[in-house]
Amino acid sequence: MAALQDIARNAANNTVSELTQAAQQELDRLAAQPTITLKDKLGIQPQEAAELDPVVRRTTMDETGLGFTEAQAKLEASRCMGCKKPFCTAACPIGMPVPQYLQKVAAGDFQGAIDIIRDTSLFPSICSRVCPHERQCQSNCAMGKSLKDPKKGIHLGLMERFCADYERLNLGGKKVPAVAPATGKKIAVIGSGPAGLSAAIDLRKQGHEVVIFESQPKLGGVLRYGIPEFRLPKEILDYELSIVEKMGIECRTSIRVFKDVTVDYLWKQGFDAIFVGIGAAVPMKLGIPGEDLKGVYTAEEYLRKGNNGEEIYSGKHVIIAGGGNVAMDAARMAYRLGAESVRIVYRRTLNEMPACKAEIKEVLDEGVKVMQLHTPEAFIPDEEGKVCMAKLGMFELGELDENGRPRPIRVKGDGATIVCDTAVIAIGSKVSPVATEGIPGLETNKNGTFVVKDAATGETTVENVYTAGDSMHGPLTVVMAMKTGRQAAAAIHKKLMGIVDEPAAEAPAAE
């Protein structure tokens, strides 16, 4: 198998060389012209990154895509139309000034490009790999709109990844942010997922003493224990998090606040504010017979153990229940854990899957089969108590629900019964109740998320206790967790320092 992997990598490298040569020829052609017109930009072919062979990569945890080369990045950036009011920036949750950094890339100023990116994003190496660009910035790209195909918009995830990777490999790495003089204020950050990390870094930059409490042995939360290595290599994660301790942030890992340490203890230790960023880590279950059989896992357990090389029984015939990005990750992980066949069982169709289109494509490319309009209704054990079959229910699509998706309606009669020796439930997650049990007065919504006085600050119903990310808005994207974490940090800083926002100036009265 190692020889086959070497052949696949060599083939991918050959593809990289071909793509680079073609991109450079186009750059040379454009450079020979006195000006580059809009017609020229529209005629540039969108660049595609080389990937490892879909079948061979199922045997390795290596990252699937190889990213853009310099020539490809320059050419792709040259496609930018330089909109005065860019739709891409407006569609980005953190308002990335896309045209400005693309202009730098097109000119070969990669340091200038990453400087612009890092002024907006704390973790571009991560966001570029895991954010749903196709639904946000790329789908709103004016180039894609002009070509009447969103897929032909500038590949902004790959562009951001190129800049961050180039910084890491060629520009000496990311710089440690400056820290303001000490304020004498002390903040506890519970949880080191994207929300907690973002809050901790911004608070430390303001000069506050920050202590992170993390229940796992290492920082990262869902970034480390939920997203597979082949999507987000640990090397990249560790690179982005390398600044945390260098900034003077104290990290106390393997400590479970609410169990090992109480919140009352934290207040007595002199903390002035507490940020709770525990995410939505409690997996939801189907509530069907046989869900507790051996070989039936939640996606959280399956991915965590697979990511960290922990012992886990994963058989030859695996089914995944669900249609989101986590389900896609679990399906791809199954092959890497030795599966011979992998099937996703989803009660709607491919068109309604909430997973990113790019993730669905990766799954299909790797040979995962999708059983549409089905869902497990019972797991059947063998003589040893292990799952050996799944009884499925059949569905059809009905009227649109409140989110604009057709409702799945159970079809009368018995569905198929399929063979499986492993089943993974990936139908969503919710916030753990441990915080509400450990913080008197902390109120929650019906879905378990924390009630906040103002979504722009993240302050909960308890004075000086804040939240952000999935704990506040439910399971969403990494970039939204980062955004809200930074908003909470800004609110904490203002509250502790007594900073009051000046009221907006009133508009002059009409004459």
Side-chain angles (χ1 to χ4, degrees):
M1 185 56 70
L4 191 59
Q5 291 175 355
D6 290 340
I7 292 173
R9 291 190 184 93
N10 289 335
N13 289 332
N14 290 335
T15 302
V16 169
S17 298
E18 293 170 2
L19 292 171
T20 301
Q21 184 177 6
Q24 188 60 55
Q25 289 175 350
E26 181 68 0
L27 286 172
D28 293 342
R29 185 187 71 79
L30 294 172
Q33 299 180 194
T35 58
I36 299 177
T37 66
L38 177 58
K39 183 178 179 181
D40 291 328
K41 289 179 179 290
L42 290 169
I44 299 173
Q45 289 297 310
Q47 296 299 289
E48 299 291 342
E51 294 185 345
L52 296 178
D53 177 81
V55 175
V56 175
R57 72 186 185 221
R58 299 187 330 195
T59 66
T60 173
M61 294 292 279
D62 290 351
E63 191 169 13
T64 298
L66 303 186
F68 281 160
T69 64
E70 289 186 35
Q72 285 186 289
K74 287 181 181 179
L75 185 59
E76 186 73 1
S78 299
R79 300 176 63 221
C80 180
M81 300 168 71
C83 306
K84 292 183 179 179
K85 293 184 178 179
F87 300 117
C88 53
T89 295
C92 174
I94 57 175
M96 178 68 69
V98 174
Q100 288 91 324
Y101 90 75
L102 290 182
Q103 184 180 30
K104 295 288 187 182
V105 175
D109 182 4
F110 305 136
Q111 182 67 67
I114 191 61
D115 287 345
I116 291 173
I117 291 171
R118 287 204 178 276
D119 280 344
T120 306
S121 175
L122 290 176
F123 307 125
S125 300
I126 296 171
C127 285
S128 62
R129 286 168 163 84
V130 303
C131 280
H133 299 87
E134 65 188 37
R135 294 180 184 171
Q136 298 173 164
C137 50
Q138 183 175 333
S139 65
N140 287 276
C141 174
M143 176 60 71
K145 293 179 182 292
S146 298
L147 296 173
K148 296 180 172 54
D149 185 352
K151 291 184 292 185
K152 293 184 178 179
I154 296 173
H155 292 164
L156 296 174
L158 287 167
M159 290 303 304
E160 185 180 8
R161 171 182 166 175
F162 168 80
C163 294
D165 286 355
Y166 193 91
E167 171 197 52
R168 175 172 54 89
L169 298 172
N170 301 287
L171 299 176
K174 69 185 295 185
K175 302 175 182 66
V176 179
V179 175
T183 64
K185 302 297 183 181
K186 187 177 179 181
I187 300 101
V189 174
I190 303 172
S192 68
L197 289 167
S198 300
I201 290 172
D202 276 5
L203 287 165
R204 181 60 187 145
K205 285 163 65 175
Q206 295 284 6
H208 305 302
E209 181 180 349
V210 179
V211 181
I212 294 176
F213 293 87
E214 169 56 50
S215 62
Q216 297 291 339
K218 293 185 177 181
L219 300 183
V222 68
L223 300 174
R224 184 177 302 278
Y225 297 101
I227 300 177
E229 178 91 6
F230 49 80
R231 278 188 64 208
L232 178 60
K234 298 300 179 288
E235 175 190 13
I236 300 300
L237 177 61
D238 290 338
Y239 166 70
E240 287 287 11
L241 302 192
S242 63
I243 63 168
V244 174
E245 291 188 304
K246 293 178 182 177
M247 292 178 68
I249 297 173
E250 183 180 349
C251 303
R252 301 182 188 177
T253 56
S254 298
I255 294 180
R256 300 169 299 173
V257 177
F258 311 119
K259 291 186 178 180
D260 302 330
V261 171
T262 66
V263 168
D264 185 56
Y265 170 82
L266 296 181
W267 291 129
K268 291 178 179 177
Q269 291 298 304
F271 286 99
D272 298 286
I274 295 175
F275 175 89
V276 184
I278 60 174
V282 178
M284 298 173 67
K285 293 191 175 184
L286 290 165
I288 62 175
E291 203 166 4
D292 58 349
L293 292 174
K294 295 179 181 178
V296 179
Y297 300 96
T298 64
E300 183 276 333
E301 180 185 12
Y302 193 72
L303 288 172
R304 174 173 50 80
K305 289 186 175 180
N307 276 338
N308 293 283
E310 297 177 31
E311 184 176 353
I312 182 173
Y313 170 78
S314 185
K316 299 300 182 183
H317 305 291
V318 181
I319 66 168
I320 314 292
N325 286 332
V326 174
M328 304 302 116
D329 288 344
R332 298 179 67 194
M333 178 67 77
Y335 274 130
R336 288 155 176 82
L337 293 178
E340 295 177 357
S341 70
V342 182
R343 284 179 283 190
I344 291 174
V345 184
Y346 182 57
R347 61 180 184 165
R348 291 185 174 94
T349 73
L350 279 168
N351 291 332
E352 290 79 41
M353 273 190 171
C356 296
K357 299 299 182 186
E359 286 299 300
I360 295 174
K361 180 182 181 299
E362 297 283 6
V363 160
L364 297 177
D365 286 348
E366 292 184 9
V368 176
K369 305 299 181 185
V370 179
M371 294 187 69
Q372 304 174 82
L373 299 172
H374 285 82
T375 195
E377 292 190 335
F379 295 116
I380 301 170
D382 62 12
E383 295 178 353
E384 298 179 353
K386 294 181 179 179
V387 63
C388 65
M389 289 186 290
K391 183 178 180 181
L392 308 180
M394 297 184 295
F395 290 77
E396 62 182 11
L397 299 181
E399 296 180 357
L400 301 183
D401 62 17
E402 62 276 7
N403 296 316
R405 293 196 301 166
R407 297 181 185 277
I409 300 174
R410 178 69 163 86
V411 177
K412 292 182 180 179
D414 295 332
T417 298
I418 61 174
V419 173
C420 65
D421 52 15
T422 304
V424 182
I425 313 303
I427 59 171
S429 58
K430 57 185 178 181
V431 181
S432 171
V434 295
T436 52
E437 295 167 358
I439 305 178
L442 186 67
E443 297 179 11
T444 61
N445 298 298
K446 289 182 179 179
N447 63 357
T449 57
F450 304 153
V451 173
V452 294
K453 299 174 183 176
D454 183 348
T457 68
E459 186 170 17
T460 68
T461 51
V462 179
E463 185 79 8
N464 291 331
V465 174
Y466 293 75
T467 191
D470 292 357
S471 301
M472 182 176 77
H473 50 55
L476 287 178
T477 59
V478 168
V479 71
M480 280 301 297
M482 292 180 180
K483 175 183 178 179
T484 54
R486 301 191 78 177
Q487 288 176 335
I492 293 170
H493 172 68
K494 290 179 180 179
K495 179 77 171 291
L496 296 184
M497 303 305 293
I499 300 172
V500 179
D501 290 330
E502 295 183 6
E506 294 185 7
E511 297 182 358

